[in-house]
Amino acid sequence: MTHGQLTQRHQPDSAEPLPLLAVTLGDPVGIGPEITARTLADPASTALARGLAVGDAAVLRRAVAVCGLDVRVNAVGAPGEARFEPGTIDVLDLGVAPDDLPWGTVDAVAGRSAVAAIEAATRAALAGEVDGIVTSPINKEAIWAAGSPHLGHTEMLGELTGAAHFDTMFVVRGLKIFFTTRHLALRAALDQITEDRVAASIRHAVTALRVFGHDAPRLAVAAVNPHGGEGGHFGDEEITALRPAVEKAAAEGLGVVGPIPADSVFHQGLEGRFDGVLSHFHDQGHIPAKTVDFDGTVSVTVGLPILRTSVDHGTAFDIAGSGRASHRTMAAAFRAAADFSRCTDRIRAAYGTAATR
């Protein structure tokens, strides 16, 4: 059964409530509050899911004004208090940041607000009060100034949920892209492309494909070198690491092929030949996804016991507060979370919960 079939089978009927998604405001002085406000005021989004903003009501009201939206902000103290009435955006009000922080600046108060929103949304998801979370961008310097030890969102969510292992999965036009390594210098990333690491990445990717709706996953492993190395003439990673890892995974019964040259494997995936592609370093996976559909590329964190989708861009301090930020990426992340909320039982079954670890 494909993910499209899964979604079709689980479409809610008229008596079934829409999924409930917690949407964090991100850094209060970045574009997160603006793109959240525009998304939750957009009938195209609210037709798919109920969206509960998580952050500071004062910050959201300022964003609504900046965007010129004709909506009311309703502050609530718990997800169950939200009403989701037309013309209203409900917000789980944390009361951390005021509405007068300077736009586009690194600020410890803004960092505390961003961290508090992530923590509150995660607690709600773990408690089953929401079906998933959608996160707006945060500023790393701001959360560090607020005392957070984490490198970013994903690491914070891993600790909050007790996840033993987590990965990033990009979704672009139905294709799911995985990464053997990510935030490393290219030279360092190449050193980490070993048979054991690639084999483990294949297993994690195939598990994620099953969790997110593919009962018989088809995964392609990208090559690293031009033309797949040309038998070792252009590099030997395909011979020493990639092909042995693929053969090992295939022998375990996993639906995996490769290595396939990277200049064609993503095209083949988008054409429907594969459900997912395992890339090996940051830009190898980012460039094709964002070239095909920059605004439509959604980041999903797999391995967590909760559903989390995210925009894949930063706080855009240079335009924050101008009302010019496009909400297309946030709308795409919201749509993906609404769709993948049908997979929450699979997510919990595959990755457990913090309470059972």
Side-chain angles (χ1 to χ4, degrees):
M1 181 171 62
T2 67
H3 180 66
Q5 291 170 324
L6 178 82
T7 301
Q8 186 177 16
R9 184 176 294 182
H10 289 79
Q11 285 292 345
D13 59 34
S14 58
E16 192 175 343
L18 292 173
L20 173 54
L21 304 175
V23 186
T24 64
L25 296 182
D27 192 297
V29 297
I31 64 170
E34 296 170 60
I35 61 176
T36 299
R38 289 192 184 278
T39 298
L40 298 185
D42 187 347
S45 297
T46 56
L48 300 174
R50 296 168 293 159
L52 173 66
V54 181
D56 300 301
V59 169
L60 184 59
R61 289 190 179 100
R62 180 166 76 157
V64 165
V66 162
C67 295
L69 299 173
D70 185 20
V71 293
R72 188 175 71 88
V73 173
N74 177 47
V76 300
E81 298 174 9
R83 296 195 294 265
F84 306 107
E85 296 173 343
T88 299
I89 300 176
D90 295 288
V91 56
L92 182 60
D93 184 19
L94 305 179
V96 176
D99 64 359
D100 59 354
L101 294 178
W103 290 107
T105 58
V106 174
D107 188 286
V109 174
R112 283 197 294 275
S113 175
V115 170
I118 297 164
E119 292 172 343
T122 303
R123 285 195 299 269
L126 288 171
E129 297 174 314
V130 299
D131 296 301
I133 67 175
V134 185
T135 57
S136 293
I138 61 175
N139 181 277
K140 290 180 173 59
E141 289 185 65
I143 68 168
W144 295 336
S148 173
H150 300 291
L151 293 176
H153 258 128
T154 305
E155 294 80 8
M156 195 182 310
L157 288 164
E159 180 174 300
L160 290 170
T161 61
H165 179 89
F166 42 86
D167 293 298
T168 293
M169 176 179 79
F170 271 13
V171 183
V172 57
R173 298 189 182 177
L175 179 65
K176 298 171 178 68
I177 300 174
F178 302 89
F179 302 84
T180 301
T181 70
R182 283 199 70 209
H183 294 123
L184 291 171
L186 182 54
R187 290 183 188 277
L190 291 173
D191 289 338
Q192 293 200 15
I193 298 173
T194 64
E195 179 183 342
D196 287 345
R197 188 180 184 96
V198 173
S201 296
I202 290 171
R203 295 187 195 102
H204 291 311
V206 170
T207 296
L209 288 172
R210 289 197 183 109
V211 167
F212 286 87
H214 301 280
D215 288 342
R218 302 166 301 160
L219 178 72
V221 173
V224 172
N225 295 297
H227 304 173
E230 290 283 16
H233 294 287
F234 297 160
D236 64 359
E237 283 83 2
E238 288 73 22
I239 297 171
T240 62
L242 303 183
R243 188 170 298 116
V246 169
E247 290 172 351
K248 181 184 295 185
E252 295 171 2
L254 304 184
V256 58
V257 296
I260 298 174
D263 62 358
S264 60
V265 68
F266 297 99
H267 171 74
Q268 293 175 18
L270 289 165
E271 290 290 303
R273 194 175 303 182
F274 312 114
D275 303 308
V277 175
L278 176 63
S279 63
H280 302 293
F281 52 90
H282 183 280
D283 284 4
Q284 189 181 44
H286 277 242
I287 290 172
K290 293 179 179 179
T291 299
V292 167
D293 190 350
F294 188 93
D295 290 334
T297 296
V298 174
S299 177
V300 183
T301 305
V302 298
L304 303 178
I306 63 173
L307 170 64
R308 182 259 179 148
T309 69
S310 178
V311 299
D312 190 54
H313 61 68
T315 50
F317 276 177
D318 57 324
I319 62 169
S322 69
R324 294 189 288 115
S326 169
H327 73 292
R328 288 194 294 268
T329 50
M330 174 58 83
F334 189 88
R335 285 195 303 271
D339 191 20
F340 288 140
S341 67
R342 280 76 174 173
C343 304
T344 51
D345 288 345
R346 293 186 181 213
I347 291 171
R348 293 187 186 112
Y351 302 126
T353 66
T356 59
R357 288 182 187 275

